[in-house]
Amino acid sequence: MKKILAVLTLLLAMCCVPAYAEEADYLGKPFPDFTATDTEGNTFTLSEALKDHEAVLVNLWASWCGPCEMEMPYVNEAYEQYKDRVAFIALSSEPNDTVEKIEEYRQSHGLAFPMGREENAGISAYTKTFSIPTTVIVDRFGNAAFAHTGAF
């Protein structure tokens, strides 16, 4: 039984590994402006967030993703520490994650940062990243300054 559990855990971990390990080709380039609605009905627009913040952290995740769940407390901790200087938005790329499901997830995990759906934001298509979690930091000039695929 333990061997089966170990193999299943290994397979799950392998599914969350990025498909490629090359550096993101969009780093240093303008990140596309996007608008998303969070679970509280607030509109988040990248260009607007950059007017009041030094950077924006965009986290792509899904409610079923174990590595995403593991890193959420750390994202929340960073949010609490830097929210005055850095805007945060976590967007689920899972089509089955409804706004209600995301809000329930946010509440049950005690997360304070804004969360919503990636729907129509086009971030995954732009970054060509289909592995989650993926985190992108956009600098104050609107350029993608950092990208990381996989849990922190």
Side-chain angles (χ1 to χ4, degrees):
M1 183 65 169
K2 287 183 181 181
K3 284 184 180 181
I4 293 172
L5 210 52
V7 170
L8 288 175
T9 302
L10 179 61
L11 287 173
L12 180 61
M14 289 173 59
C15 290
C16 296
V17 173
Y20 58 90
E22 297 173 18
E23 184 174 298
D25 64 355
Y26 57 87
L27 287 179
K29 297 178 184 171
F31 201 76
D33 199 10
F34 67 89
T35 299
T37 303
D38 71 17
T39 58
E40 296 179 351
N42 300 312
T43 300
F44 181 97
T45 301
L46 177 64
S47 58
E48 290 298 314
L50 288 172
K51 289 179 181 178
D52 299 328
H53 297 86
E54 296 173 27
V56 173
L57 182 142
V58 180
N59 181 267
L60 298 176
W61 68 287
S63 62
W64 52 261
C65 171
C68 300
E69 186 172 21
M70 287 183 346
E71 81 172 358
M72 286 297 181
Y74 301 106
V75 174
N76 199 61
E77 185 178 324
Y79 172 76
E80 293 295 348
Q81 186 170 352
Y82 297 106
K83 65 185 172 187
D84 294 335
R85 296 174 42 206
V86 178
F88 284 65
I89 185 79
L91 300 172
S92 175
S93 58
E94 169 58 51
N96 293 323
D97 281 350
T98 63
V99 171
E100 295 79 18
K101 188 172 186 175
I102 295 167
E103 179 59 16
E104 181 182 310
Y105 184 95
R106 189 174 81 83
Q107 293 294 326
S108 69
H109 288 76
L111 304 172
F113 53 88
M115 299 177 83
R117 298 182 68 210
E118 185 204 5
E119 180 180 53
N120 301 322
I123 299 168
S124 291
Y126 176 77
T127 61
K128 299 177 186 122
T129 303
F130 302 101
S131 296
I132 53 172
T134 292
T135 301
V136 178
I137 296 178
V138 180
D139 69 17
R140 64 183 172 176
F141 304 109
N143 297 317
F146 173 83
H148 179 78
T149 299
F152 282 101

